[in-house]
Structures are given as C-alpha cells and as structure tokens.
Amino acid sequence: MLHTEAITRFRRLNAAALASQQLASSPLPSQVNKSTLSNVVKRVCPALGVTGTAYHVLDILLGLVKEDDLGEGRSPVVAISNIKLANYVCRSERSVIRAIKKLVEAGLLAYRDSGNGRRFVNSRGEAYGLDLTPACKRLPELRKQAEAYKVRLEAERALKRRSRGLVRSINDACAELSDQGNSIKADEYCQRIIAIMETSQSLSDKTRFLEDLYEEVLSATATGFSQYEVEPDIPDKPVDPVPALSSIENVRSRESNISIEVLVRAIPMTIENFIPSVRSWKELRGEADILRLAIGLSEHAWKKAIHELGLNLAAACLAVVVEKVLREPDKLTRPAGYFNGMVAKAQLGELHLDKTVWGLSCKH
C-alpha cells in the first residue's frame, strides 16, 4: 500500500511517479554498494532519456547520498533544497523542479516530503528530501536495461560506420565511372545515394539499399577495372618483366617489425569511425572488408594486394590509408589509388610502412 503521508498535497503525480512512490514506501531489503549504484544508474540514463539538467542533478544526489543510508532497512534520502541544487547546476529553480520530476517519473527517485514541503533531517534522524530507494530496488532491472542499450547502440554505430563506408565507396566508384566517360550514369547513382539517405526508412534498411546500390555501381564500372585482370601468356607477345620476389620478401621482412600494438596507436581515428579496437592481427584481418569499402577499393585490387603483400601487411596498409584520409581528407582525395601505389612500391621494394606507422603514432 502506498504511504501517501510521504507526499504533500500540492503535488500532482502521474502513474509513473506513483510507481516510484510505491517503491519508496518501504526501506531497502538489502545492502547496496554506492559505487555500483552510481555506475549502473549513470549508464542507464541515456536509455531512460535522462540528460542535461536531470542527469546533472542525479549526479549530485548520487554523490551526496551517505553509504550508511544504503544499508539494509534504511532509506537513502538526500535532504537538499531546490535552491542549492540550482546553484550547483547553474540553472533556475524551475529547471531543477522539472529535472527532479523527470527523475521521479523515470523511476530513479521518489519524494519524501515533510508537512510543509521543506527538506531537512530532524533531531530523531528522520530525513525529508529526495529518496533514491526506487533506483536501489530496481538495480538489477536497470543493469539489464543499460546492457541492452549498449548492445543496441553498438549495433547502430556499426550500421552507421557501414553506411558511411558504402557512401564513400559508391562516390569513389562514381568518380571512376565519370573517368570512363559515363558521367550521366554516375550522376544518377549519386542522386540515388541522396534519395536513400533522405528516406524515412530505418538505418538497417538504408544500409541494405546502399549495399545493393554499391553492387550495381561495381557492375557498371567492371569494364574500368578490366585493365587489372591478368592476361594469359601468349608466346608471340612480349611480357613485361615480373618484379623480383626478393624485393617483396624484403618488404615483408621489414614490415614484420610492426607490432599490432604500435599499429593500433597509429590509427585512433580509424578505430573510432570504422572498426572496433583490435588486439591481434586476426582481428584486423577480420575488419579488412570494412576498410576496403571505406576507401572504395575494388575486390580485385584487394585480392591483388593480398597476393603481393600477404594478408597482414595488406590489412595494415588499408588501415594506414583510412587513417590518413580521416586526418587529412583534402590531401588524399583518391585513397584507392594511394593504396594501389603502396602495393606498387612494395613490388619495387620501396614501401616503408614501418616509418609511416611510427610517424602516425607520434603525431597522435
């Protein structure tokens, strides 16, 4: 049963606020750790829509609550006035009142009012103020909400990274199509990108449409990439000399000195925008396809790079190119061409990726 004596008559409470008051009508059933409470409640705030002034007020209350009041059979009440909270958060008193109402309706706080509405602790140790009991009792539920929100947020970020990479790849492919003399078709594809991004469809649907469009653009530009195909040997036709294997092996040997830890330090913007933090070469290889799409590199050119450099070194080159584009987009307008240039240098034994990686790491 709800203890209405804890609420003054001037308050108008909706169903959500009454549910919080119900949770606060009895003391805590068990001890709650203050740091755990603070950590879980702050993590779940975005999922509950608690932001801005409401979040700031909650942060102050979590800091002021006493550890002893979080024990079994106690009620964690913070006796602090709206005026003092307004001074702490540099907002008006009305803003603080609205923020507290938001926290009560979110199921994190409850009102424990005195007869005249003032917040204080009397001589018997009875506290009147803002009660954190609802958050304490809902701790397991809030933890699950926070984890679910984190998973959903990571999925959305992955879709955003994927869609941004596809848009860049399609634009690069359209530029290649224009170079082939088919600018009308390239403009049509660019307009379709805009139409897809401006639609009200979900992000997952947009990403799927972009993937289909990317495959279509690649098919349209396939003739432009045919020059990279390996032609069969014809006895009567002179063949260009093949680079000595020793030069490529020398490059691989030199670049093997790059550790994955150093490479990760050199590509912070790539990790932030496209891939999760990697801890091994295997994980980097697993993200290679996303990096390839990010710079608009054709699948054929990628397979050629793997054949020439090996998967580890090719993936490292991809990550370096993406990092350079993110740091200096105006200087590197054709990243796919830059990557192909790195492969060509490796064939001549002139690729010094270790120096580039160290340089990027030092500039970070």
Side-chain angles (χ1 to χ4, degrees), residues 53-54 56-62 64 78-93 95-97 99-100 103 109 119 129-130:
T53 303
H56 199 171
V57 169
L58 179 62
D59 185 38
I60 292 171
L61 296 177
L62 289 170
L64 291 177
V78 180
I80 183 172
S81 66
N82 291 335
I83 295 176
K84 188 169 288 187
L85 281 172
N87 290 333
Y88 282 153
V89 300
C90 299
R91 294 290 185 272
S92 67
E93 192 174 349
S95 295
V96 168
I97 292 173
I100 293 173
L103 294 171
L109 286 184
R119 298 169 188 163
L130 301 172

Side-chain angles (χ1 to χ4, degrees), residues 97-237:
I97 292 173
R98 287 193 294 269
I100 293 173
K101 183 173 182 289
K102 174 72 174 178
L103 294 171
V104 171
E105 293 175 353
L108 301 177
L109 286 184
Y111 297 108
R112 186 173 293 275
D113 295 328
S114 62
N116 57 8
R118 294 180 61 191
R119 298 169 188 163
F120 62 93
V121 180
N122 62 23
S123 58
R124 297 188 299 275
E126 298 171 339
Y128 299 94
L130 301 172
D131 194 346
L132 286 162
T133 299
C136 295
K137 289 185 175 180
R138 295 181 62 205
L139 206 55
E141 173 195 346
L142 295 176
R143 184 181 285 108
K144 290 181 180 179
Q145 281 187 264
E147 293 298 331
Y149 178 77
K150 180 181 177 181
V151 171
R152 186 170 71 253
L153 190 63
E154 288 177 350
E156 290 177 358
R157 286 174 177 171
L159 285 173
K160 288 180 180 178
R161 289 196 299 267
R162 174 71 172 165
S163 63
R164 285 197 297 263
L166 286 168
V167 169
R168 292 191 185 95
S169 301
I170 295 171
N171 284 328
D172 286 342
C174 288
E176 181 68 29
L177 199 60
S178 295
D179 292 343
Q180 296 174 21
N182 199 348
S183 57
I184 296 177
K185 194 68 174 177
D187 291 340
E188 178 188 334
Y189 286 133
C190 291
Q191 291 301 318
R192 286 173 64 182
I193 294 175
I194 296 173
I196 290 173
M197 298 309 293
E198 290 182 350
T199 185
S200 59
Q201 298 280 354
S202 65
L203 186 58
S204 60
D205 289 337
K206 290 181 181 179
T207 304
R208 189 173 65 255
F209 294 149
L210 288 172
E211 288 174 344
D212 294 341
L213 180 59
Y214 180 56
E215 293 297 329
E216 186 177 339
V217 175
L218 283 184
S219 298
T221 57
T223 56
F225 291 118
S226 61
Q227 57 182 312
Y228 296 107
E229 296 293 335
V230 179
E231 299 180 356
D233 292 335
I234 301 176
D236 297 332
K237 183 179 178 180

